[in-house]
Amino acid sequence: PHRLAVNLPSKISATQLSQQGKQEEIRFISLKTNKTNISLPIISASQRGSINHLVLQHLHFKQLDCEEDIKYQLDKMVEREILRPEEADIVNIHNLLQFFRSDLGQRVMRADEVWREKPFNLVISADQFLQNEEAQDCNDKLLLQGVIDLYFREGNELVLVDYKTGLGEKASIMQSYRAQIAIYRQALESILKMKVKESYLYMLDKGDIVLVE
């Protein structure tokens, strides 16, 4: 085996690639909001992310005309013990509604098919993980595992959406996740044999939609 392969893991997650990968052009699309002072309880970004992912996994997209519709669905999730009451309380209902009123959100609701929280396994070359010159001649393979938050089909092509939580600077957040989005795109195209025509990040805390090109 290649000498670098001695220290390679046999299996990695997509998030381990979040600090690596190729640079991609990014365009920001800000959603307008009339609520400028939205306060959140003291809770970690990781906890908020888990709660928001769970909500977006179970929301009925066809029943999202107003904030009351989302609140009703959250109450039902509490009744079904999908969420605890205190978890439902931290969900930013306004931002969620703004997302589904955006062009991207409307496309999700009109899509031919929508998939949520889909796990995948993908075999990648070691040099994608190592990302250095010494690794260029390393032919070893790694099994990469991940979960794609949402993707939908428009005709014969796919659109990828990944949710992110955090209040940091946009530039640093984007720097962290570019490689991860590229891997998700590669996984979908490799497994489903369909082109991913667009990839987006949806920043849950700020309500921003980011197109990754």
Side-chain angles (χ1 to χ4, degrees):
H2 192 280
R3 63 181 182 81
L4 292 177
V6 175
N7 297 318
L8 281 174
S10 59
K11 180 172 65 177
I12 60 174
S13 69
T15 53
Q16 287 176 265
L17 294 173
S18 62
Q19 298 295 334
Q20 306 185 57
K22 298 180 180 179
Q23 300 294 310
E24 295 175 295
E25 181 184 352
I26 286 184
R27 183 165 76 243
F28 286 93
I29 308 170
S30 295
L31 299 180
K32 294 182 179 179
T33 174
N34 293 324
K35 297 186 179 180
T36 57
N37 296 314
I38 299 173
S39 60
L40 296 174
I42 299 174
I43 187 171
S44 72
S46 176
Q47 289 172 310
R48 288 200 310 277
S50 296
I51 293 166
N52 280 300
H53 277 72
L54 194 59
V55 169
L56 283 160
Q57 181 180 357
H58 291 279
L59 272 181
H60 295 290
F61 291 163
K62 303 298 184 182
Q63 302 170 17
L64 297 173
D65 293 330
C66 60
E67 292 189 12
E68 287 73 21
D69 289 342
I70 298 177
K71 180 63 168 61
Y72 175 79
Q73 292 199 49
L74 291 175
D75 290 341
K76 288 297 182 182
M77 290 181 204
V78 171
E79 287 182 15
R80 295 164 57 196
E81 298 185 346
I82 295 172
L83 294 175
R84 295 193 295 267
E86 61 270 23
E87 292 173 332
D89 287 343
I90 73 161
V91 175
N92 192 321
I93 294 175
H94 178 77
N95 276 3
L96 283 180
L97 182 62
Q98 290 304 303
F99 171 73
F100 286 105
R101 285 179 173 175
S102 71
D103 177 67
L104 178 61
Q106 290 293 303
R107 290 169 64 190
V108 172
M109 296 170 74
R110 295 193 306 264
D112 298 317
E113 292 181 272
V114 179
W115 295 265
R116 293 185 261 186
E117 299 297 326
K118 299 297 291 186
F120 69 88
N121 293 316
L122 179 69
V123 176
I124 66 170
S125 61
D127 58 359
Q128 284 184 266
F129 177 71
L130 293 168
Q131 292 294 321
N132 59 51
E133 292 183 2
E134 289 185 283
Q136 289 182 359
D137 60 342
C138 181
N139 296 318
D140 289 73
K141 302 294 183 182
L142 297 174
L143 175 63
L144 184 142
Q145 296 180 321
V147 178
I148 297 175
D149 294 336
L150 182 145
Y151 61 94
F152 60 93
R153 180 174 66 83
E154 290 181 330
N156 295 320
E157 298 179 310
L158 301 173
V159 178
L160 166 66
V161 182
D162 194 56
Y163 314 131
K164 295 302 178 191
T165 306
L167 297 172
E169 292 296 323
K170 292 179 181 178
S172 62
I173 292 174
M174 294 308 101
Q175 180 67 24
S176 298
Y177 295 116
R178 287 170 182 169
Q180 186 178 346
I181 295 303
I183 284 292
Y184 287 169
R185 188 166 57 240
Q186 178 183 345
L188 285 176
E189 292 184 342
S190 174
I191 295 169
L192 299 180
K193 310 301 181 187
M194 297 177 69
K195 179 183 177 181
V196 176
K197 64 178 180 178
E198 296 167 22
S199 301
Y200 293 90
L201 294 181
Y202 173 48
M203 313 306 295
L204 291 159
D205 287 337
K206 292 188 176 182
D208 289 333
I209 297 172
V210 182
L211 173 64
V212 183
E213 297 180 314

